[in-house]
Amino acid sequence: MKQTKILFILFLLVEVGISFGQSKEVKIRVDGLSCPFCAYGLEKKLNDIKGAENINIDFENGLVTMNIAGEKNINKKEIKDKVKEAGFTPIKVEILDFPKSSENPKQ
Amino acid sequence: MVLISCVFFLPESLAQGPPINTETPILLGLEGGGFRTFGKIVSTDLGTTYIQPLAIPYNLGTNFQIGVMQPFISIYPKIGDNNSGFGNLSLFVKQMLFQFDSKAKTFRGLLKYTQTFPTGASSVSADNYSSQFMFVAGYVNLNYSLNGSVSYTFVSKNLPDNFVYDFAFGYPLLPQKYPPFQLNLYLELNGQKTLKINKNLLFLSPGIQLITSSTFLLESSFQIPLVDDSGIIRNTFSFGIRYLVF
Protein backbone atom coordinates (compact mmCIF):
# COMPACT_ATOMS: atom_id res chain seq x y z
CA MET A 1 0.00 0.00 0.00
CA LYS A 2 2.80 2.32 0.99
CA GLN A 3 4.64 1.41 -2.20
CA THR A 4 1.50 2.12 -4.27
CA LYS A 5 1.10 5.53 -2.65
CA ILE A 6 4.74 6.41 -3.37
CA LEU A 7 4.38 5.28 -6.99
CA PHE A 8 1.15 7.27 -7.34
CA ILE A 9 2.80 10.45 -5.96
CA LEU A 10 5.78 9.95 -8.26
CA PHE A 11 3.42 9.46 -11.22
CA LEU A 12 1.57 12.69 -10.38
CA LEU A 13 4.83 14.62 -10.11
CA VAL A 14 6.00 13.38 -13.50
CA GLU A 15 2.65 14.19 -15.17
CA VAL A 16 2.73 17.72 -13.72
CA GLY A 17 6.32 18.09 -14.86
CA ILE A 18 5.40 16.95 -18.36
CA SER A 19 2.43 19.31 -18.64
CA PHE A 20 4.54 22.29 -17.47
CA GLY A 21 7.29 21.33 -19.90
CA GLN A 22 4.92 21.12 -22.88
CA SER A 23 6.12 23.29 -25.66
CA LYS A 24 4.40 24.43 -28.84
CA GLU A 25 6.09 24.99 -32.14
CA VAL A 26 5.24 28.24 -33.88
CA LYS A 27 5.82 28.85 -37.58
CA ILE A 28 5.68 32.43 -38.83
CA ARG A 29 5.73 33.42 -42.50
CA VAL A 30 7.51 36.74 -42.70
CA ASP A 31 8.06 39.01 -45.69
CA GLY A 32 11.01 41.37 -46.01
CA LEU A 33 13.62 38.99 -44.58
CA SER A 34 16.30 39.89 -47.07
CA CYS A 35 19.41 40.53 -45.02
CA PRO A 36 20.72 38.48 -42.10
CA PHE A 37 22.19 41.49 -40.28
CA CYS A 38 18.69 43.03 -40.25
CA ALA A 39 17.17 40.01 -38.53
CA TYR A 40 18.76 40.58 -35.14
CA GLY A 41 15.95 42.91 -34.14
CA LEU A 42 13.41 40.25 -35.06
CA GLU A 43 15.10 37.70 -32.83
CA LYS A 44 15.17 40.22 -29.97
CA LYS A 45 11.49 41.06 -30.33
CA LEU A 46 10.41 37.41 -30.48
CA ASN A 47 12.52 36.66 -27.43
CA ASP A 48 10.32 39.12 -25.55
CA ILE A 49 7.43 36.65 -25.84
CA LYS A 50 7.05 34.66 -22.64
CA GLY A 51 8.43 31.13 -23.06
CA ALA A 52 10.04 31.81 -26.45
CA GLU A 53 13.05 29.65 -27.30
CA ASN A 54 14.89 28.01 -30.20
CA ILE A 55 14.26 30.81 -32.70
CA ASN A 56 15.37 29.86 -36.22
CA ILE A 57 15.26 32.10 -39.26
CA ASP A 58 15.06 30.67 -42.80
CA PHE A 59 15.62 33.53 -45.26
CA GLU A 60 14.98 31.65 -48.48
CA ASN A 61 11.53 30.56 -47.45
CA GLY A 62 10.72 33.64 -45.37
CA LEU A 63 10.04 31.40 -42.40
CA VAL A 64 10.69 31.86 -38.69
CA THR A 65 10.22 28.89 -36.37
CA MET A 66 10.34 28.94 -32.60
CA ASN A 67 9.12 27.07 -29.58
CA ILE A 68 6.99 28.59 -26.87
CA ALA A 69 7.17 26.61 -23.65
CA GLY A 70 4.72 26.50 -20.79
CA GLU A 71 2.01 28.60 -22.40
CA LYS A 72 -1.46 27.13 -23.04
CA ASN A 73 -2.88 30.05 -24.99
CA ILE A 74 -0.48 31.61 -27.46
CA ASN A 75 -1.57 34.96 -28.77
CA LYS A 76 -1.12 35.04 -32.56
CA LYS A 77 -1.73 38.79 -32.60
CA GLU A 78 1.09 39.33 -30.12
CA ILE A 79 3.45 37.39 -32.38
CA LYS A 80 2.39 39.36 -35.46
CA ASP A 81 2.80 42.64 -33.56
CA LYS A 82 6.33 41.66 -32.54
CA VAL A 83 7.22 40.95 -36.16
CA LYS A 84 5.87 44.37 -37.21
CA GLU A 85 7.74 46.08 -34.37
CA ALA A 86 10.91 44.47 -35.67
CA GLY A 87 10.33 46.12 -39.06
CA PHE A 88 9.06 43.17 -41.09
CA THR A 89 5.70 42.07 -42.47
CA PRO A 90 3.99 39.06 -40.84
CA ILE A 91 1.96 36.97 -43.26
CA LYS A 92 0.80 33.92 -41.30
CA VAL A 93 1.25 32.41 -37.84
CA GLU A 94 0.81 28.64 -37.31
CA ILE A 95 0.85 27.02 -33.91
CA LEU A 96 1.56 23.32 -33.64
CA ASP A 97 1.43 21.21 -30.49
CA PHE A 98 4.91 19.84 -29.84
CA PRO A 99 5.26 17.84 -26.63
CA LYS A 100 8.62 18.59 -25.05
CA SER A 101 8.98 15.20 -23.31
CA SER A 102 8.77 12.06 -25.45
CA GLU A 103 9.02 9.60 -22.48
CA ASN A 104 5.90 7.84 -21.18
CA PRO A 105 6.29 7.02 -17.46
CA LYS A 106 3.54 4.38 -17.63
CA GLN A 107 5.63 2.10 -19.87
CA MET B 1 42.10 76.34 -46.70
CA VAL B 2 42.12 74.15 -49.82
CA LEU B 3 42.48 71.01 -47.74
CA ILE B 4 39.60 72.10 -45.49
CA SER B 5 37.63 72.49 -48.70
CA CYS B 6 38.47 68.86 -49.53
CA VAL B 7 36.60 67.81 -46.43
CA PHE B 8 33.74 70.07 -47.37
CA PHE B 9 33.58 68.81 -50.95
CA LEU B 10 33.83 65.10 -50.12
CA PRO B 11 30.72 63.43 -51.51
CA GLU B 12 28.65 61.98 -48.66
CA SER B 13 31.81 60.71 -46.98
CA LEU B 14 29.92 60.24 -43.78
CA ALA B 15 27.12 58.00 -45.11
CA GLN B 16 25.81 55.18 -43.05
CA GLY B 17 25.47 52.06 -45.10
CA PRO B 18 25.71 49.15 -45.57
CA PRO B 19 26.57 49.90 -48.30
CA ILE B 20 29.77 51.62 -47.24
CA ASN B 21 29.63 55.09 -48.80
CA THR B 22 25.96 55.17 -49.76
CA GLU B 23 22.90 55.46 -47.59
CA THR B 24 20.35 52.69 -47.26
CA PRO B 25 16.64 52.95 -46.43
CA ILE B 26 16.86 49.95 -44.10
CA LEU B 27 16.76 51.03 -40.46
CA LEU B 28 17.16 47.53 -39.01
CA GLY B 29 19.97 45.65 -37.31
CA LEU B 30 23.36 47.17 -37.97
CA GLU B 31 21.68 50.16 -39.60
CA GLY B 32 19.81 50.86 -36.38
CA GLY B 33 20.98 51.66 -32.91
CA GLY B 34 24.66 51.45 -32.32
CA PHE B 35 27.75 53.26 -33.37
CA ARG B 36 29.77 53.50 -36.50
CA THR B 37 33.24 54.83 -36.95
CA PHE B 38 35.78 54.66 -39.69
CA GLY B 39 39.04 56.26 -40.65
CA LYS B 40 39.11 57.95 -44.02
CA ILE B 41 42.31 59.11 -45.71
CA VAL B 42 41.94 61.61 -48.54
CA SER B 43 45.08 61.99 -50.60
CA THR B 44 45.47 65.13 -52.73
CA ASP B 45 48.21 66.97 -54.57
CA LEU B 46 48.34 69.48 -51.72
CA GLY B 47 48.53 67.05 -48.84
CA THR B 48 46.54 64.46 -46.92
CA THR B 49 43.40 64.75 -44.82
CA TYR B 50 42.39 62.16 -42.27
CA ILE B 51 38.78 62.05 -41.08
CA GLN B 52 37.51 59.91 -38.21
CA PRO B 53 33.77 60.38 -37.73
CA LEU B 54 31.73 58.78 -34.98
CA ALA B 55 28.06 58.29 -35.84
CA ILE B 56 25.48 57.13 -33.34
CA PRO B 57 22.01 56.39 -34.75
CA TYR B 58 19.07 55.43 -32.55
CA ASN B 59 15.74 54.03 -33.66
CA LEU B 60 12.58 55.49 -32.19
CA GLY B 61 10.17 52.82 -33.35
CA THR B 62 10.43 50.98 -36.62
CA ASN B 63 10.18 53.86 -39.06
CA PHE B 64 12.01 56.76 -37.41
CA GLN B 65 15.62 57.26 -36.50
CA ILE B 66 17.60 60.06 -34.92
CA GLY B 67 21.34 60.36 -34.73
CA VAL B 68 24.42 62.42 -34.21
CA MET B 69 27.72 62.51 -36.04
CA GLN B 70 30.97 64.03 -34.81
CA PRO B 71 34.07 63.90 -36.97
CA PHE B 72 37.66 64.30 -35.90
CA ILE B 73 39.85 65.74 -38.64
CA SER B 74 43.58 65.93 -39.16
CA ILE B 75 45.13 67.85 -42.03
CA TYR B 76 48.70 67.28 -43.22
CA PRO B 77 49.52 69.81 -45.95
CA LYS B 78 52.68 69.47 -48.04
CA ILE B 79 53.42 73.09 -47.23
CA GLY B 80 52.54 74.55 -43.85
CA ASP B 81 51.62 73.27 -40.41
CA ASN B 82 49.60 70.18 -39.59
CA ASN B 83 46.28 70.78 -37.88
CA SER B 84 43.90 68.51 -35.97
CA GLY B 85 40.64 68.98 -34.17
CA PHE B 86 36.97 68.18 -33.99
CA GLY B 87 34.97 69.00 -37.10
CA ASN B 88 31.44 70.34 -37.27
CA LEU B 89 28.73 68.39 -35.40
CA SER B 90 25.76 67.04 -37.36
CA LEU B 91 22.35 65.91 -36.16
CA PHE B 92 20.12 63.84 -38.41
CA VAL B 93 16.69 62.27 -38.58
CA LYS B 94 15.34 59.59 -40.91
CA GLN B 95 11.70 58.87 -41.65
CA MET B 96 10.59 55.81 -43.59
CA LEU B 97 8.31 56.72 -46.47
CA PHE B 98 7.38 53.37 -47.91
CA GLN B 99 8.06 49.69 -47.42
CA PHE B 100 7.09 46.90 -49.78
CA ASP B 101 8.03 43.48 -48.46
CA SER B 102 7.71 40.10 -50.15
CA LYS B 103 9.36 36.73 -49.58
CA ALA B 104 13.11 37.25 -49.09
CA LYS B 105 13.06 40.75 -50.57
CA THR B 106 12.20 44.30 -49.70
CA PHE B 107 11.89 47.68 -51.40
CA ARG B 108 11.99 50.72 -49.11
CA GLY B 109 12.41 54.45 -49.22
CA LEU B 110 13.03 57.16 -46.67
CA LEU B 111 13.75 60.83 -46.21
CA LYS B 112 16.77 62.01 -44.26
CA TYR B 113 17.44 65.48 -42.91
CA THR B 114 20.88 66.47 -41.63
CA GLN B 115 21.72 69.72 -39.90
CA THR B 116 25.39 70.62 -39.50
CA PHE B 117 26.53 73.26 -37.02
CA PRO B 118 29.75 75.30 -37.07
CA THR B 119 31.02 73.80 -33.81
CA GLY B 120 34.34 72.53 -35.10
CA ALA B 121 37.86 73.88 -34.80
CA SER B 122 38.41 76.65 -37.33
CA SER B 123 41.71 75.10 -38.43
CA VAL B 124 39.95 71.99 -39.76
CA SER B 125 36.35 72.96 -40.45
CA ALA B 126 34.31 75.50 -42.32
CA ASP B 127 32.54 78.14 -40.23
CA ASN B 128 29.05 77.73 -41.63
CA TYR B 129 25.73 75.94 -41.19
CA SER B 130 24.44 73.44 -43.71
CA SER B 131 21.10 71.68 -44.12
CA GLN B 132 20.83 68.57 -46.21
CA PHE B 133 17.64 66.99 -47.53
CA MET B 134 18.05 63.48 -48.88
CA PHE B 135 15.83 60.87 -50.47
CA VAL B 136 17.04 57.27 -50.19
CA ALA B 137 15.63 54.15 -51.87
CA GLY B 138 16.80 50.58 -51.88
CA TYR B 139 15.91 47.12 -53.12
CA VAL B 140 17.41 44.17 -51.26
CA ASN B 141 17.06 40.46 -51.89
CA LEU B 142 19.20 37.48 -50.97
CA ASN B 143 21.31 37.70 -54.12
CA TYR B 144 22.15 41.38 -54.36
CA SER B 145 21.24 44.85 -53.14
CA LEU B 146 20.69 48.15 -54.93
CA ASN B 147 20.71 51.37 -52.95
CA GLY B 148 20.68 54.96 -54.12
CA SER B 149 20.21 58.47 -52.84
CA VAL B 150 19.93 62.05 -54.04
CA SER B 151 20.30 65.07 -51.83
CA TYR B 152 20.50 68.83 -51.83
CA THR B 153 22.51 70.78 -49.29
CA PHE B 154 21.85 74.42 -48.45
CA VAL B 155 25.00 76.12 -47.18
CA SER B 156 25.10 79.37 -45.25
CA LYS B 157 27.34 82.44 -45.58
CA ASN B 158 27.01 82.56 -49.35
CA LEU B 159 29.03 79.40 -49.82
CA PRO B 160 27.85 77.26 -52.72
CA ASP B 161 25.08 74.73 -52.23
CA ASN B 162 25.69 71.22 -53.46
CA PHE B 163 23.84 68.34 -55.02
CA VAL B 164 24.97 64.83 -54.05
CA TYR B 165 24.05 61.52 -55.65
CA ASP B 166 25.09 58.00 -54.72
CA PHE B 167 24.45 54.55 -56.06
CA ALA B 168 25.58 51.19 -54.70
CA PHE B 169 25.45 47.61 -55.89
CA GLY B 170 26.05 44.98 -53.21
CA TYR B 171 26.84 41.33 -53.74
CA PRO B 172 27.03 38.75 -50.93
CA LEU B 173 29.78 36.19 -51.42
CA LEU B 174 28.47 33.75 -48.80
CA PRO B 175 25.02 32.16 -48.43
CA GLN B 176 22.65 34.21 -46.32
CA LYS B 177 22.03 32.61 -42.94
CA TYR B 178 21.33 33.51 -39.37
CA PRO B 179 23.15 34.18 -37.08
CA PRO B 180 24.95 36.09 -39.81
CA PHE B 181 28.44 35.59 -41.10
CA GLN B 182 28.61 37.54 -44.30
CA LEU B 183 31.19 38.75 -46.73
CA ASN B 184 29.79 41.43 -49.04
CA LEU B 185 31.32 43.17 -52.02
CA TYR B 186 30.18 46.66 -52.99
CA LEU B 187 30.65 48.77 -56.06
CA GLU B 188 29.49 52.33 -55.61
CA LEU B 189 29.32 55.57 -57.54
CA ASN B 190 29.48 58.64 -55.30
CA GLY B 191 29.08 62.01 -56.95
CA GLN B 192 28.69 65.64 -56.09
CA LYS B 193 28.03 68.83 -57.99
CA THR B 194 28.94 72.10 -56.25
CA LEU B 195 26.64 74.77 -57.55
CA LYS B 196 27.58 78.42 -58.26
CA ILE B 197 31.16 77.37 -59.03
CA ASN B 198 29.91 74.42 -61.09
CA LYS B 199 32.47 71.87 -59.92
CA ASN B 200 31.88 68.13 -60.28
CA LEU B 201 33.31 65.24 -58.35
CA LEU B 202 32.58 61.55 -59.01
CA PHE B 203 34.16 58.57 -57.32
CA LEU B 204 34.09 54.90 -58.23
CA SER B 205 34.17 53.10 -54.87
CA PRO B 206 34.82 49.39 -54.61
CA GLY B 207 34.52 48.04 -51.09
CA ILE B 208 34.37 44.93 -48.97
CA GLN B 209 32.43 44.25 -45.79
CA LEU B 210 32.74 41.43 -43.27
CA ILE B 211 29.81 40.88 -40.90
CA THR B 212 30.98 38.56 -38.14
CA SER B 213 27.85 38.47 -35.99
CA SER B 214 24.46 40.11 -35.50
CA THR B 215 26.10 43.10 -33.85
CA PHE B 216 29.47 43.72 -35.46
CA LEU B 217 31.00 44.36 -38.84
CA LEU B 218 34.22 45.52 -40.45
CA GLU B 219 34.37 47.34 -43.78
CA SER B 220 36.81 48.96 -46.11
CA SER B 221 36.54 51.00 -49.27
CA PHE B 222 38.76 52.64 -51.84
CA GLN B 223 37.49 55.62 -53.82
CA ILE B 224 38.92 56.40 -57.22
CA PRO B 225 38.12 59.81 -58.72
CA LEU B 226 36.56 59.44 -62.17
CA VAL B 227 35.67 63.12 -62.41
CA ASP B 228 37.44 65.79 -60.37
CA ASP B 229 36.98 69.37 -61.49
CA SER B 230 39.13 70.61 -58.60
CA GLY B 231 41.98 68.65 -60.13
CA ILE B 232 43.68 67.84 -56.85
CA ILE B 233 42.10 64.70 -55.40
CA ARG B 234 44.06 61.50 -56.01
CA ASN B 235 42.06 58.88 -54.11
CA THR B 236 40.57 58.07 -50.72
CA PHE B 237 40.78 55.00 -48.55
CA SER B 238 38.59 54.13 -45.58
CA PHE B 239 38.44 51.39 -42.98
CA GLY B 240 35.72 51.16 -40.37
CA ILE B 241 33.66 49.21 -37.90
CA ARG B 242 30.05 49.13 -36.85
CA TYR B 243 28.76 47.89 -33.51
CA LEU B 244 25.14 47.48 -32.51
CA VAL B 245 24.52 48.41 -28.90
CA PHE B 246 20.80 49.16 -28.62
Side-chain angles (χ1 to χ4, degrees):
Chain A
M1 187 62 183
K2 194 178 176 182
Q3 227 177 0
T4 312
K5 276 186 187 174
I6 290 168
L7 278 171
F8 181 68
I9 290 167
L10 275 173
F11 169 73
L12 275 178
L13 283 172
V14 170
E15 280 296 313
V16 166
I18 288 170
S19 69
F20 270 119
Q22 263 193 347
S23 160
K24 297 191 181 190
E25 184 180 358
V26 179
K27 280 187 182 176
I28 316 163
R29 258 281 287 122
V30 179
D31 277 354
L33 277 173
S34 54
C35 49
F37 58 79
C38 307
Y40 179 59
L42 178 59
E43 186 188 16
K44 275 178 75 173
K45 287 288 178 187
L46 291 176
N47 267 322
D48 286 345
I49 297 170
K50 193 180 171 186
E53 55 190 17
N54 301 329
I55 298 169
N56 286 301
I57 301 176
D58 174 357
F59 290 95
E60 259 191 66
N61 296 307
L63 206 59
V64 179
T65 56
M66 57 192 276
N67 295 119
I68 297 181
E71 289 295 309
K72 282 190 177 174
N73 298 312
I74 297 171
N75 190 337
K76 283 188 182 181
K77 187 184 177 303
E78 186 193 3
I79 294 172
K80 282 189 172 182
D81 286 345
K82 288 293 180 190
V83 173
K84 285 181 197 169
E85 284 171 28
F88 299 97
T89 305
I91 301 299
K92 190 180 177 185
V93 177
E94 263 185 275
I95 300 171
L96 308 166
D97 280 321
F98 182 77
K100 196 173 183 182
S101 170
S102 56
E103 289 178 12
N104 188 338
K106 288 181 182 174
Q107 286 176 346
Chain B
M1 185 60 193
V2 175
L3 281 173
I4 292 175
S5 301
C6 286
V7 175
F8 177 74
F9 289 139
L10 279 172
E12 200 47 50
S13 60
L14 307 177
Q16 291 179 253
I20 302 169
N21 301 292
T22 302
E23 283 282 354
T24 177
I26 295 180
L27 299 178
L28 312 174
L30 283 160
E31 330 293 349
F35 73 80
R36 182 189 185 194
T37 187
F38 56 88
K40 190 158 200 156
I41 301 168
V42 182
S43 173
T44 76
D45 290 341
L46 300 176
T48 302
T49 303
Y50 177 78
I51 306 163
Q52 180 89 42
L54 174 66
I56 304 176
Y58 184 76
N59 284 358
L60 294 172
T62 312
N63 297 323
F64 189 74
Q65 184 183 95
I66 59 173
V68 61
M69 186 140 55
Q70 173 65 68
F72 184 84
I73 301 168
S74 295
I75 297 177
Y76 306 95
K78 286 185 179 173
I79 301 168
D81 296 332
N82 299 340
N83 281 298
S84 294
F86 286 105
N88 292 338
L89 180 83
S90 297
L91 301 177
F92 62 86
V93 294
K94 294 183 186 180
Q95 171 64 54
M96 185 79 77
L97 286 181
F98 59 82
Q99 175 179 341
F100 299 110
D101 288 343
S102 54
K103 190 163 81 172
K105 48 180 83 100
T106 187
F107 175 53
R108 302 184 184 199
L110 62 76
L111 282 178
K112 180 184 179 186
Y113 170 69
T114 305
Q115 181 62 49
T116 303
F117 302 90
T119 56
S122 56
S123 56
V124 296
S125 2
D127 180 30
N128 59 268
Y129 291 84
S130 68
S131 305
Q132 184 186 60
F133 296 86
M134 178 185 286
F135 171 71
V136 186
Y139 171 77
V140 182
N141 63 33
L142 297 181
N143 299 312
Y144 62 88
S145 65
L146 298 169
N147 288 280
S149 70
V150 290
S151 68
Y152 191 91
T153 306
F154 297 93
V155 185
S156 69
K157 294 194 173 180
N158 268 328
L159 287 171
D161 295 349
N162 60 68
F163 173 73
V164 176
Y165 52 96
D166 299 299
F167 177 77
F169 171 77
Y171 182 76
L173 291 175
L174 299 174
Q176 309 279 46
K177 61 182 182 72
Y178 191 83
F181 186 83
Q182 288 178 256
L183 187 61
N184 299 323
L185 291 181
Y186 286 100
L187 190 61
E188 303 180 49
L189 280 172
N190 307 110
Q192 176 174 306
K193 184 179 185 67
T194 306
L195 305 171
K196 277 191 190 173
I197 59 174
N198 206 25
K199 295 288 185 189
N200 291 288
L201 188 57
L202 178 64
F203 286 113
L204 178 67
S205 316
I208 189 162
Q209 188 180 72
L210 175 65
I211 299 175
T212 60
S213 71
S214 306
T215 57
F216 185 76
L217 72 79
L218 301 155
E219 57 197 359
S220 182
S221 172
F222 193 76
Q223 291 187 294
I224 305 153
L226 298 179
V227 174
D228 173 23
D229 288 348
S230 70
I232 62 169
I233 296 180
R234 289 181 190 169
N235 51 60
T236 78
F237 172 76
S238 67
F239 178 80
I241 65 168
R242 236 174 289 198
Y243 182 66
L244 186 68
V245 290
F246 305 118

